[in-house]
Amino acid sequence: MSFDGSFTHAMTGELNRLVSGGRVSKINQPYDNEIVLTVRSNHENYPILISANPNYARVQVSRIPYVNPHTPTTFTMTLRKHLSGSVLKKVSQIDNDRVMIFHFTTRNEIGDLKEMRLVVEIMARHSNIILVDTQDDMRIIDAIKRIGADKNRYRTILPGDTYITPPNQDMVNPFAENVDYQKIEDLTKEFPNQEVLSSELRKRIQGLGKDTSLYLAQAMHQDGAVKDKFDKFFDHFNNPIPTMIEHDKSNSFNVYPFEDNNIQYDTLSELLDNFYETKARLDRVREQGGQLIKVARSELKKNKNKKKKLEKTLDNTKYADEYRIKGEILTTYLYKIQKGMTKIALPNFYDNGNDIDISISNQLTPSENAQKYFKRYQKEKNAVSFVTEQLKKTNDEIDYFENILSQIEIANPSDLDDIKVELKNEGYLKHHNNRNSKNKNKNTKISKPEEFITDKGIHILVGKNNLQNDKLTMKDADKRDTWLHTQKIHGSHVIIKDFNPDDETIETAAMLAAYFSKARDSATVPVDYVQVKKIRKPNGSKPGFVIYEGQKTIFVTPSKEFVDQLRENK
């Protein structure tokens, strides 16, 4: 199910039950199109995620941690100015549309009560979050996305403009009291095909996504009175049973277990946290790490092309010995070379005296022709050494950037700063301010690795990028700790803070090493483990690269549920 108007109705009900009457204690904007309002209600803090993300626009209480930017945005400061300390009276919805309104009571500069509204339009790439002053003719104070007349002729969304609601769709609100059930019954009889009926229902009933209309069409084709079937279906949105429906290729969220193979949750917000956690994380990483991904892919492509050329050059050097042999044969039979010759057949004493054809230049003396072959031999011989060395460096670069892309893939947005610093230090990203840039990087604070606690209380640390990995393994870890890493697979360094971990602890740490690696979605992943004292970092090697010996290997199948359970221990 999409976050359509009907799901918006269900979420509006949940938010009213949880936070109506609460007070706004914090306002943050961790990502470009998303804000988090923390509302204190019934002695509990509720972080309300309000997202105008083009792909994952939604409103929910989210328990997924986030990191704020160093400097708050202008929109954040505007919200803090007008809403900090205000009381959230209620949350409402415009008809059954994807428009949710937060009604706040606050005080103006002279202490008088006034009402402010935060309007959330959940409309894919047109999604927006708009702060409106109701006592000033619905004047827009600001919006997370400002829309000028060049982008929308119907309405503009700019500070000082009057807020105009999205165009009325002139459709039936299924939660209103004046539903024309006869029209619904006529549609059901006219369109016995479920998919055709669902399409017709979407044209006439407000707030139906494709999945919702299909479930409704299925319900309307059951036996019973139309009114009873219709009201029973939409009652699921008034009294939801938050459900994740598992499909072969992807999952979907819903307000009711309309299908088998489902997992149920306590709240719609908990359901959405589980559904969007990975999707939203990847989207945020792609959005904030676009420059890093572009640089890494560009360098990877460049080095792969370089590798092909080097391999071709190396392949050509296999004729080096042939040049040496021809040079030696010419030197032995100089007296047989006659003036004006361009080719000569001479006995090859490396091939049982069989004749070998040798091309020669009629512009050179016999001795010069022989020396020409020796020079070509020496050139190819030197090339082998150079190309082999360059090929190794190129393979190292390919491995490095594949590792960077793997780290970005499993990263949280907060991990990107370390990767950015690393690429700057390695010279792949230009510094915005070259003056004293080296000194600035030396003082850059590296973020901390993620910490997990086993059921036995043992701490396990997981590095999320090369800088974290280097610091964790080579500086912070005790030489007697146990180090783990996926075998020949890009991934995180994992440290068990225990000098003699048992098999269960090693398996737990191995599960973490496999999960935070490129093999996250694989089964039976090999993970090496060894004491930290057997880890070495070669001089001049790339960040995150180490070598080790004396390791043992364990095979595990990583699981998100297992990692989430470990997080709960902390």
Side-chain angles (χ1 to χ4, degrees):
M1 176 177 286
S2 59
F3 208 110
D4 58 12
S6 299
F7 195 91
T8 303
H9 177 91
M11 182 56 74
T12 300
E14 176 171 293
L15 290 175
N16 276 315
R17 289 190 295 274
L18 293 175
V19 298
S20 61
R23 188 176 295 274
V24 177
S25 60
K26 293 180 183 178
I27 302 174
N28 297 306
Q29 187 179 344
Y31 311 109
D32 288 346
N33 298 313
E34 298 175 321
I35 64 171
V36 177
L37 290 180
T38 302
V39 177
R40 180 76 175 175
S41 178
N42 298 318
H43 309 291
E44 187 175 349
N45 290 325
Y46 292 92
I48 304 173
L49 172 67
I50 303 176
S51 174
N53 183 293
N55 299 314
Y56 305 115
R58 65 196 186 279
V59 179
Q60 63 166 111
V61 175
S62 179
R63 301 295 181 181
I64 297 175
Y66 59 89
V67 177
N68 286 318
H70 300 299
T71 305
T73 64
T74 303
F75 186 62
T76 305
M77 297 305 293
T78 301
L79 292 179
R80 289 176 180 175
K81 176 183 176 182
H82 292 277
L83 299 181
S84 290
S86 63
V87 175
L88 177 58
K89 289 172 55 181
K90 65 176 182 178
V91 183
S92 66
Q93 180 186 14
I94 297 179
D95 296 327
N96 196 41
D97 204 353
R98 294 169 295 169
V99 181
M100 192 181 290
I101 303 174
F102 289 77
H103 301 258
F104 297 95
T105 299
T106 184
R107 292 188 181 275
N108 60 19
E109 291 83 355
I110 61 175
D112 293 336
L113 287 175
K114 65 180 295 186
E115 182 183 346
M116 302 291 294
R117 292 184 185 178
L118 193 64
V119 182
V120 185
E121 299 178 352
I122 307 167
M123 300 175 180
R125 64 189 181 90
H126 300 295
S127 299
N128 212 336
I129 305 169
I130 308 159
L131 182 63
V132 177
D133 187 343
T134 61
Q135 294 182 343
D136 191 6
D137 298 325
M138 297 298 288
R139 179 176 62 87
I140 295 174
I141 296 175
D142 206 350
I144 203 165
K145 299 178 185 176
R146 296 181 178 182
I147 309 297
D150 56 327
K151 295 182 180 178
N152 192 321
R153 295 180 180 180
Y154 174 76
R155 61 175 187 157
T156 57
I157 302 176
L158 296 171
D161 288 350
T162 299
Y163 176 71
I164 301 172
T165 59
N168 193 334
Q169 296 177 318
D170 193 25
M171 300 169 76
V172 175
N173 179 356
F175 299 100
E177 296 181 357
N178 57 344
V179 176
D180 189 341
Y181 295 103
Q182 186 59 51
K183 286 185 178 180
I184 306 299
E185 184 173 4
D186 293 343
L187 282 175
T188 304
K189 291 178 180 178
E190 185 179 355
F191 302 104
N193 181 278
Q194 182 175 318
E195 290 192 3
V196 177
L197 175 59
S198 72
S199 177
E200 294 299 320
L201 289 170
R202 285 201 301 277
K203 296 175 184 177
R204 292 167 173 79
I205 298 176
Q206 189 179 31
L208 296 187
K210 186 174 181 180
D211 288 351
T212 308
S213 63
L214 282 169
Y215 290 128
L216 176 59
Q218 185 180 28
M220 299 311 297
H221 279 150
Q222 303 298 316
D223 295 333
V226 170
K227 182 180 185 304
D228 293 341
K229 292 184 291 185
F230 189 88
D231 289 348
K232 180 181 178 182
F233 178 82
F234 283 101
D235 187 59
H236 295 320
F237 295 88
N238 289 322
N239 302 284
I241 303 174
T243 304
M244 184 89 75
I245 299 176
E246 297 181 317
H247 304 283
D248 291 337
K249 294 184 178 180
S250 62
N251 298 339
S252 63
F253 60 88
N254 221 313
V255 297
Y256 187 79
F258 290 114
E259 300 179 34
D260 297 329
N261 300 325
N262 59 74
I263 304 171
Q264 295 178 14
Y265 296 86
D266 293 333
T267 65
L268 296 171
S269 293
E270 185 183 349
L271 166 66
L272 293 182
D273 264 353
N274 280 273
F275 180 80
Y276 281 114
E277 180 178 9
T278 300
K279 295 179 176 65
R281 178 184 62 78
L282 291 174
D283 187 78
R284 290 162 179 164
V285 167
R286 281 194 294 267
E287 183 179 306
Q288 296 190 12
Q291 183 189 20
L292 306 182
I293 295 171
K294 182 179 179 180
V295 168
R297 286 178 175 170
S298 175
E299 291 290 335
L300 187 61
K301 182 180 179 180
K302 181 177 73 175
N303 280 284
K304 284 185 175 179
N305 289 335
K306 183 179 178 181
K307 180 181 178 180
K308 289 181 181 178
K309 293 178 180 178
L310 289 171
E311 287 177 337
K312 185 177 181 181
T313 302
L314 190 62
D315 188 56
N316 292 336
T317 61
K318 65 184 180 182
Y319 301 108
D321 276 345
E322 186 176 330
Y323 297 140
R324 177 182 58 81
I325 291 170
K326 288 182 178 179
E328 291 180 357
I329 292 172
L330 283 176
T331 302
T332 303
Y333 297 103
L334 287 176
Y335 63 92
K336 289 191 175 183
I337 302 175
Q338 303 297 321
K339 187 177 181 180
M341 281 186 171
T342 57
K343 181 185 291 187
I344 188 171
L346 296 171
N348 184 357
F349 36 76
Y350 290 104
D351 187 25
N352 298 320
N354 294 319
D355 282 352
I356 181 173
D357 291 329
I358 303 176
S359 297
I360 55 177
S361 172
N362 57 9
Q363 302 298 314
L364 301 175
T365 65
S367 178
E368 288 174 337
N369 272 297
Q371 289 303 313
K372 183 183 73 172
Y373 276 104
F374 284 126
K375 286 179 182 179
R376 292 184 67 180
Y377 162 70
Q378 194 61 45
K379 181 179 178 181
E380 296 294 337
K381 183 180 176 182
N382 293 338
V384 170
S385 176
F386 175 78
V387 171
T388 302
E389 182 183 354
Q390 289 299 308
L391 195 56
K392 181 182 180 305
K393 289 181 179 179
T394 304
N395 283 327
D396 289 344
E397 289 285 292
I398 290 171
D399 185 70
Y400 174 72
F401 284 105
E402 286 179 343
N403 185 32
I404 289 290
L405 288 172
S406 296
Q407 289 177 358
I408 293 174
E409 189 176 332
I410 65 173
N412 289 317
S414 58
D415 299 323
L416 296 177
D417 285 344
D418 288 343
I419 297 175
K420 187 173 184 178
V421 169
E422 177 187 341
L423 291 179
K424 282 184 177 180
N425 290 344
E426 295 298 311
Y428 300 110
L429 268 180
K430 291 183 179 179
H431 296 280
H432 293 295
N433 185 0
N434 289 324
R435 187 181 297 174
N436 298 326
S437 59
K438 291 184 178 180
N439 294 331
K440 288 182 179 180
N441 284 330
K442 286 181 181 178
N443 297 325
T444 300
K445 187 176 180 181
I446 300 170
S447 58
K448 293 181 180 180
E450 186 167 0
E451 183 178 17
F452 295 86
I453 302 174
T454 69
D455 295 338
K456 296 179 179 180
I458 297 172
H459 292 242
I460 300 175
L461 302 176
V462 179
K464 298 292 187 64
N465 53 65
N466 288 330
L467 296 185
Q468 280 188 17
N469 288 336
D470 272 355
K471 187 173 184 296
L472 176 60
T473 302
M474 308 311 299
K475 293 183 179 180
D476 296 344
D478 190 288
K479 297 297 182 184
R480 295 165 290 180
D481 288 339
T482 299
W483 178 90
L484 300 93
H485 193 281
T486 45
Q487 186 183 88
K488 298 179 181 179
I489 300 170
H490 298 305
S492 298
H493 291 203
V494 176
I495 296 292
I496 302 174
K497 300 299 292 181
D498 188 275
F499 298 158
N500 188 27
D502 57 20
D503 292 343
E504 183 181 350
T505 302
I506 290 174
E507 184 176 359
T508 298
M511 290 278 280
L512 290 170
Y515 183 77
F516 291 103
S517 77
K518 196 173 182 178
R520 171 176 289 189
D521 299 319
S522 304
T524 318
V525 179
V527 178
D528 290 339
Y529 64 97
V530 69
Q531 276 192 310
V532 174
K533 66 182 180 181
K534 296 183 179 180
I535 306 293
R536 292 188 296 110
K537 185 172 183 63
N539 292 333
S541 60
K542 291 286 188 183
F545 179 80
V546 295
I547 56 177
Y548 53 93
E549 57 187 11
Q551 72 277 9
K552 295 181 181 178
T553 305
I554 182 174
F555 293 85
V556 295
T557 299
S559 160
K560 179 182 181 298
E561 291 72 25
F562 180 83
V563 175
D564 288 341
Q565 288 175 4
L566 280 179
R567 284 192 171 113
E568 289 178 5
N569 287 347
K570 186 178 179 183

